[in-house]
Amino acid sequence: MKNPRAQSLLTAPSFLWMLVLFAWPAAHLFLMAFKPADVNGGVGEGWTLDAWRVFAEQGYWAVIWRTVWITLVTTTLCIAIALPVAWRICRATPKWQPWLMLLVVLPFWTSFLVRVYAWRVLLAASGPMASILKSLGLMSEDAMLLYNLPAVVLVMVYMELPMAVLPIYAAMEKFDPALLDAAHDLGATRWQSFFKIVLPSIKRGIIAAALLVGIPSLGMYVVPEMIGGVDGEMLGSKIGQRLFSDRNLPQAAALASALALLSMPAVLMAVRKKDEG
Amino acid sequence: MKRLSLLLALALPLFGKDELHLYTWADYIKPELVEKFESEHNCKVVIDTFDSNETMYAKIRAGAAGYDVIVPSSYLVRLLTAQDLVMPLDHAKLPNLKNIDPEVLAKVYDKEMKHAVPYAMSYTVLAYRKDKVKDPIASWAIFDQATYHKKTSLLNDMRETLGAALKFLGHSVNTRDEAQLAAARDVVIGWKKHIAKFDNEQYKSAIDSGEFVLVQGYSGDLFQVVSENDKVGILLPKEGLVVSCDELLIPKGAPQPDLAHKWINFVLDPEVAAENMEWMGFLCPNKPGIAKAPAEFLENPAVNIPADIIAKSEAIEDLGEDLAKYTKVWDEVKAAK
Amino acid sequence: MKDECRKMKTKLPHFSSLCFIAVITFLYAPLLVLMGNSFNKSKYGGTWEGFTWQWYERLWKDDATIEALLHSLEIGACATLGATILGTLAAWCLHRYSSPLQRVHLLLTEVPLAVPDIWLGVAMQLFFVSVGWQLGFGTVIAAHITFCLCYVTAVMLGRLQSFDFQIIDAARDLGATNWQVAWRIVLPVLLPGIVASALLAFILSLDDFVITFFVSGPGASTLPSRVFAMAKTSRNLPVINALSTILTLGTFAIAILGHRLMKKA
């Protein structure tokens, strides 16, 4: 019944497209990292491990560590905030749920740049946030809300939050509230039931949320550039610098590949779990 | 009506007039002059902008064809001509070349203008808020002071910022000496403790709004801020400035080389240059043009740089392989706490 | 015991409701401030200095922005077309068949969703350059189709979960050819999902900045690139607010439309 020729024919368009426009560029980028840098900004002949030697330098590990750290904080905050939000949506009547979900996700569909820019306006020294805080006496005249790490984390959480709510809500929707009632009847406190019953059953959703937030965070470039200060350099900015001002293509490729490699195991794990589940 | 015809024109590309594609810095040509050229030559001018020479260079090297005129900083001219990415200029089509200031020509790489014509001079200067900074010292050392903690910025450009430190120490901005570079690195790391961020674009609005009280920036950009906001002043460090000359070139494979030549000749016209200078805030090395420029413009502190400081100012040159030395030092600056 | 349980149950919703309201405020505040500032006479938005349309007027007169808008729409339309067709086909195959081929197919359509934008942008730019494909309109459309395709596939896969394949068998039994089955049965049923994912693809293409930044060439500026370029000059700073407001409201309208269509399905 299932015609093998039909399968090949139907699969071909998207398969070939992604092969040519994704798999090949990916492999190409990876291979670039093994070529010597040409002083004029291209790549020379032959193969070398020069580009990868940068990882031996101390400075890089500081940047990588900072990137990972910021990502972990952002991811944790996003999940922590997403949990009660998703819970509230689940408790609404089914008629309202899709609309509440849309309300949460809508800002995410606006242009990335617009959202970062909106925060710059909001947090600027002459902006509304600063004016309010100063008039309330909570902020001194010279203090700055921008150009520091907390601001970067704040804006990153803002950017990624809807992506955490989506999978957690999807998992929570399947959760049976009768289990909670049973737990109450047996004497469990609110927090006990939450941690021991709800969380484990939406584990898959939390993992998905962690990936959907964590991976873009690792590669974040625009936010640390526009919102961050001197202590906020992340891996994305370094890649941009290598590419644009240092004319070192192989190093940019090496760093980008390192970035991809950081995210890859987690992704493959999730894909496999989906197959099994 | 113009809006409507523009929309229609874009929807029907088949009836297009000739198009001239410029790849240049933002705000680098007065819009009215563009319109004048468009009507004089019955064509359409499309302007794409870049924010760093390296971005532009990467795109041109990558083969982004379709640009007719590019306007990089002069240190890229050697690189572009060596890589055979630009076409030679036909001087017969450029009668206005005679207007270029020979003193400036003596300092650029392509002295005979075989491929490149100097367009505008840009100095990297300091700007400060007169209401917040009292008695500013006219020296790069001003960044050592902790007084303006987290209310200042330096350029996020390794050549400019390391260059400022090198000038402060009395060295050349094109030095290849690693010891000098290490000293410059330490100076910038010291400065880094007090600045809010390294920044290339936001400093203009930041100094205008008072968010920052002291910034390192490009003279043309700051010229505009100074003329609109009298609370902002220009500071010229006595150790000398970094100078840059941006030049006009025609990339190989430009679709409209003829029109490109016409454009270059157009901007070199003294009246056009004078009008353009006043709008841009940058000085064009065009002798008759300067003569026609209004006194008000020429006396603006962002334009009128005293001769003794110009004497100490240096242009950025291409470093070839030694660029890696600067990259290493800059990375160390960025990584330092 | 029962009363305590009821009290416990009611405590939980209140906490989560508060969280929900706080989060919604957090999500919309910056956008509302931005929109408000687009009508603010003040250049920096610190204080309200009076209502004005001037920034919108300047926007309307800005040729480069109008051009960028048209480019964005053209690119969006082409990318949506390509991504929807390819993505729907992909989802169909992934759902219908299972084989080693499909497992690779799944990876190809899921992994791009998991890599950072900057990685995709760099990889694609280098690829286009190496094969001699000039950066411009074509490369932007190709890049957009690539990542939009993955989103379309993901959405359609979800839709296909509830597709009843028995209809196809029934139709076949009644003598329908493959083409008839495809056009008259499968497509109409999937249509709301297809339209919704098409709208999603359109929004993604319209709003993309990072990837477009890397793969665009002369004359292929898009709206987000225009916002970025405008942010560099302080001459017209509040015009960005006006542009962003229009972009945001447009996105909202399209998203709500898509949502209603999804609901119908």
Side-chain angles (χ1 to χ4, degrees):
Chain A
M1 249 295 279
K2 289 193 183 157
N3 189 348
R5 247 190 95 226
Q7 191 195 157
S8 317
L9 220 59
L10 287 174
T11 314
S14 50
F15 192 89
L16 288 174
W17 181 281
M18 292 309 288
L19 201 66
V20 171
L21 278 155
F22 174 71
W24 180 351
H28 186 247
L29 182 64
F30 191 62
L31 288 175
M32 274 266 175
F34 293 98
K35 297 212 133 218
D38 170 47
V39 89
N40 294 320
V43 286
E45 295 300 311
W47 304 93
T48 168
L49 280 175
D50 276 344
W52 296 92
R53 294 221 172 103
V54 298
F55 289 107
E57 279 170 45
Q58 236 267 321
Y60 277 88
W61 287 105
V63 174
I64 293 177
W65 173 238
R66 187 185 302 130
T67 307
V68 170
W69 199 87
I70 293 180
T71 301
L72 284 173
V73 172
T74 306
T75 310
T76 314
L77 281 174
C78 279
I79 294 179
I81 300 175
L83 284 168
V85 172
W87 184 258
R88 180 65 189 87
I89 302 180
C90 281
R91 291 202 71 102
T93 53
K95 186 174 91 109
W96 281 109
Q97 283 184 24
W99 291 106
L100 288 178
M101 198 62 233
L102 182 68
L103 197 62
V104 171
V105 171
L106 213 48
F108 189 74
W109 296 143
T110 62
S111 177
F112 184 80
L113 212 53
V114 168
R115 279 178 290 150
V116 179
Y117 185 68
W119 272 104
R120 261 203 46 211
V121 170
L122 195 60
L123 292 177
S126 49
M129 198 78 195
S131 312
I132 295 175
L133 286 176
K134 278 179 196 168
S135 60
L136 285 176
L138 290 169
M139 212 173 95
S140 68
E141 191 56 46
D142 283 334
M144 297 267 269
L145 288 170
L146 279 175
Y147 313 130
N148 50 52
L149 270 180
V152 174
V153 173
L154 175 69
V155 179
M156 279 179 61
V157 167
Y158 180 83
M159 292 295 171
E160 321 272 14
L161 189 58
M163 277 288 108
V165 178
L166 266 172
I168 290 182
Y169 163 73
M172 262 189 195
E173 213 196 348
K174 301 193 178 85
F175 178 74
D176 184 3
L179 286 171
L180 266 186
D181 294 344
H184 287 156
D185 288 341
L186 290 167
T189 66
R190 204 176 70 203
W191 291 113
Q192 273 179 330
S193 7
F194 187 72
F195 279 107
K196 296 220 165 153
I197 301 178
V198 180
L199 277 191
S201 57
I202 58 170
K203 196 170 58 180
R204 190 84 40 82
I206 295 183
I207 294 177
L211 287 176
L212 285 174
V213 172
I215 287 164
S217 300
L218 279 175
M220 212 38 112
Y221 163 56
V222 180
V223 177
E225 289 280 308
M226 285 183 81
I227 307 278
V230 289
D231 56 354
E233 208 191 7
M234 288 173 70
L235 203 52
S237 335
K238 259 285 178 292
I239 296 177
Q241 187 195 327
R242 285 285 170 275
L243 207 56
F244 293 131
S245 64
D246 302 344
R247 284 188 233 145
N248 195 330
L249 219 48
Q251 262 191 32
L255 288 172
S257 303
L259 193 61
L261 285 171
L262 269 176
S263 353
M264 219 42 86
V267 171
L268 289 175
M269 221 173 57
V271 170
R272 252 195 2 202
K273 273 213 169 133
K274 206 157 134 188
D275 277 340
E276 291 163 15
Chain B
M1 211 40 226
K2 185 166 186 260
R3 243 30 347 90
L4 222 47
S5 49
L6 176 66
L7 287 172
L8 283 171
L10 285 170
L12 305 163
L14 305 165
F15 301 112
K17 308 175 188 163
D18 285 336
E19 283 189 0
L20 178 75
H21 282 268
L22 297 179
Y23 198 23
T24 176
W25 302 89
D27 281 349
Y28 223 28
I29 180 81
K30 187 174 184 184
E32 286 81 354
L33 292 172
V34 174
E35 284 170 24
K36 188 167 174 214
F37 184 81
E38 280 178 332
S39 55
E40 269 178 30
H41 296 269
N42 192 28
C43 68
K44 187 163 151 6
V45 177
V46 179
I47 303 180
D48 278 344
T49 62
F50 55 83
D51 62 335
S52 92
N53 281 305
E54 304 296 337
T55 313
M56 180 226 63
Y57 176 63
K59 280 242 164 110
I60 299 289
R61 263 197 92 253
Y67 293 118
D68 298 301
V69 179
I70 54 177
V71 193
S73 297
S74 95
Y75 76 88
L76 275 182
V77 174
R78 186 194 74 84
L79 213 52
L80 289 165
T81 41
Q83 304 245 289
D84 201 29
L85 290 168
V86 291
M87 66 163 70
L89 296 173
D90 183 357
H91 284 210
K93 294 186 185 156
L94 302 170
N96 280 331
L97 278 183
K98 59 182 180 345
N99 297 333
I100 298 287
D101 187 343
E103 275 176 33
V104 171
L105 270 182
K107 294 193 190 151
V108 299
Y109 172 73
D110 189 357
K111 300 186 194 337
E112 283 156 44
M113 295 191 281
K114 289 209 194 108
H115 297 92
V117 178
Y119 176 64
M121 317 276 297
S122 148
Y123 297 92
T124 310
V125 299
L126 297 174
Y128 70 103
R129 293 280 301 201
K130 293 183 190 157
D131 51 345
K132 299 269 171 70
V133 178
K134 305 292 173 202
D135 304 321
I137 48 173
S139 156
W140 290 110
I142 194 171
F143 282 103
D144 282 332
Q145 300 178 332
T147 343
Y148 315 111
H149 189 70
K150 296 294 177 195
K151 301 214 95 174
T152 62
S153 79
L154 285 168
L155 285 173
N156 190 18
D157 183 310
M158 109 181 132
R159 299 299 305 274
E160 295 280 359
T161 306
L162 286 176
L166 285 166
K167 272 258 160 272
F168 170 65
L169 292 168
H171 304 311
S172 157
V173 301
N174 298 309
T175 181
R176 291 162 200 245
D177 182 320
E178 284 170 27
Q180 291 180 355
L181 282 173
R185 172 200 63 204
D186 294 331
V187 166
V188 180
I189 290 178
W191 291 348
K192 189 180 162 189
K193 293 198 175 61
H194 303 303
I195 63 172
K197 68 189 306 236
F198 289 106
D199 176 89
N200 281 340
E201 298 117 22
Q202 297 163 13
Y203 67 85
K204 289 170 266 181
S205 45
I207 194 85
D208 195 8
S209 68
E211 190 175 17
F212 290 163
V213 300
L214 176 70
V215 297
Q216 179 193 21
Y218 298 107
S219 57
D221 297 334
L222 292 170
F223 160 86
Q224 186 226 320
V225 177
V226 162
S227 45
E228 286 173 13
N229 185 343
D230 52 12
K231 295 203 189 100
V232 179
I234 300 282
L235 205 57
L236 301 170
K238 61 180 193 297
E239 297 94 351
L241 314 169
V242 169
V243 161
S244 178
C245 184
D246 292 328
E247 309 206 45
L248 300 156
L249 293 98
I250 305 181
K252 252 208 164 74
Q256 300 275 359
D258 228 27
L259 210 49
H261 277 91
K262 291 204 178 104
W263 173 262
I264 295 181
N265 202 44
F266 175 74
V267 296
L268 291 178
D269 173 81
E271 300 241 346
V272 173
E275 213 185 315
N276 197 19
M277 268 192 268
E278 202 192 341
W279 184 88
M280 283 198 293
F282 292 98
L283 207 59
C284 293
N286 186 319
K287 275 203 138 147
I290 292 178
K292 287 195 190 291
E296 205 187 308
F297 165 74
L298 292 170
E299 279 158 25
N300 185 298
V303 173
N304 184 19
I305 317 274
D308 58 328
I309 299 202
I310 294 190
K312 294 208 203 102
S313 303
E314 249 188 295
I316 294 183
E317 284 166 14
D318 183 60
L319 294 165
E321 281 176 2
D322 289 322
L323 188 66
K325 292 184 187 163
Y326 279 73
T327 309
K328 179 167 167 293
V329 165
W330 188 239
D331 276 346
E332 286 164 10
V333 166
K334 287 277 180 107
K337 291 254 169 271
Chain C
M1 187 65 168
K2 281 285 177 175
D3 287 292
E4 278 177 65
C5 285
R6 212 177 297 131
K7 263 194 273 170
M8 268 196 238
K9 279 184 229 172
T10 53
K11 266 196 198 157
L12 215 52
H14 285 175
F15 173 69
S16 64
S17 293
L18 276 171
C19 280
F20 188 81
I21 294 173
V23 165
I24 294 295
T25 315
F26 175 61
L27 288 176
Y28 284 89
L31 294 173
L32 291 173
V33 168
L34 193 69
M35 292 198 228
N37 266 334
S38 67
F39 297 106
N40 187 356
K41 277 213 186 109
S42 156
K43 243 175 131 188
Y44 296 107
T47 46
W48 181 261
E49 282 173 29
F51 187 92
T52 174
W53 284 106
Q54 70 184 47
W55 311 120
Y56 286 93
E57 280 166 16
R58 277 207 221 169
L59 193 64
W60 182 239
K61 293 207 186 88
D62 186 21
D63 286 350
T65 304
I66 306 284
E67 232 183 279
L69 170 68
L70 286 169
H71 288 160
S72 279
L73 291 175
E74 285 173 48
I75 293 173
C78 297
T80 303
L81 196 64
T84 311
I85 295 175
L86 290 172
T88 309
L89 269 177
W92 178 260
C93 296
L94 286 169
H95 185 83
R96 192 91 161 107
Y97 309 112
S98 65
S99 63
L101 180 72
Q102 293 306 328
R103 276 213 275 282
V104 177
H105 195 200
L106 183 68
L107 269 178
L108 281 175
T109 51
E110 281 209 333
V111 172
L113 290 176
V115 287
D117 275 355
I118 187 171
W119 188 93
L120 262 178
V122 172
M124 293 196 123
Q125 188 204 58
L126 295 178
F127 164 72
F128 290 136
V129 167
S130 71
V131 295
W133 187 348
Q134 246 168 51
L135 298 179
F137 243 77
T139 51
V140 177
I141 294 178
H144 281 208
I145 291 181
T146 310
F147 70 82
C148 288
L149 192 163
C150 304
Y151 282 95
V152 172
T153 308
V155 170
M156 289 309 295
L157 262 179
R159 299 259 95 208
L160 281 167
Q161 302 281 14
S162 48
F163 185 82
D164 187 1
F165 280 90
Q166 291 184 336
I167 308 181
I168 300 188
D169 298 340
R172 285 256 176 76
D173 287 341
L174 289 168
T177 64
N178 273 340
W179 272 117
Q180 283 174 323
V181 169
W183 279 106
R184 285 170 171 250
I185 298 178
V186 176
L187 222 51
V189 172
L190 291 179
L191 199 59
I194 294 178
V195 174
S197 35
L199 287 173
L200 173 62
F202 188 72
I203 293 176
L204 287 169
S205 165
L206 208 65
D207 290 341
D208 179 68
F209 170 66
V210 179
I211 297 181
T212 311
F213 180 70
F214 283 95
V215 302
S216 63
S221 65
T222 60
L223 269 185
S225 325
R226 187 82 194 106
V227 172
F228 188 62
M230 293 211 307
K232 288 185 222 150
T233 66
S234 61
R235 256 175 234 268
N236 273 331
L237 227 43
V239 177
I240 304 181
N241 296 340
L243 183 57
S244 308
T245 303
I246 294 179
L247 208 54
T248 305
L249 291 176
T251 307
F252 279 9
I254 297 177
I256 293 177
L257 180 65
H259 202 256
R260 296 194 77 157
L261 283 163
M262 279 284 266
K263 266 194 68 194
K264 272 202 204 147

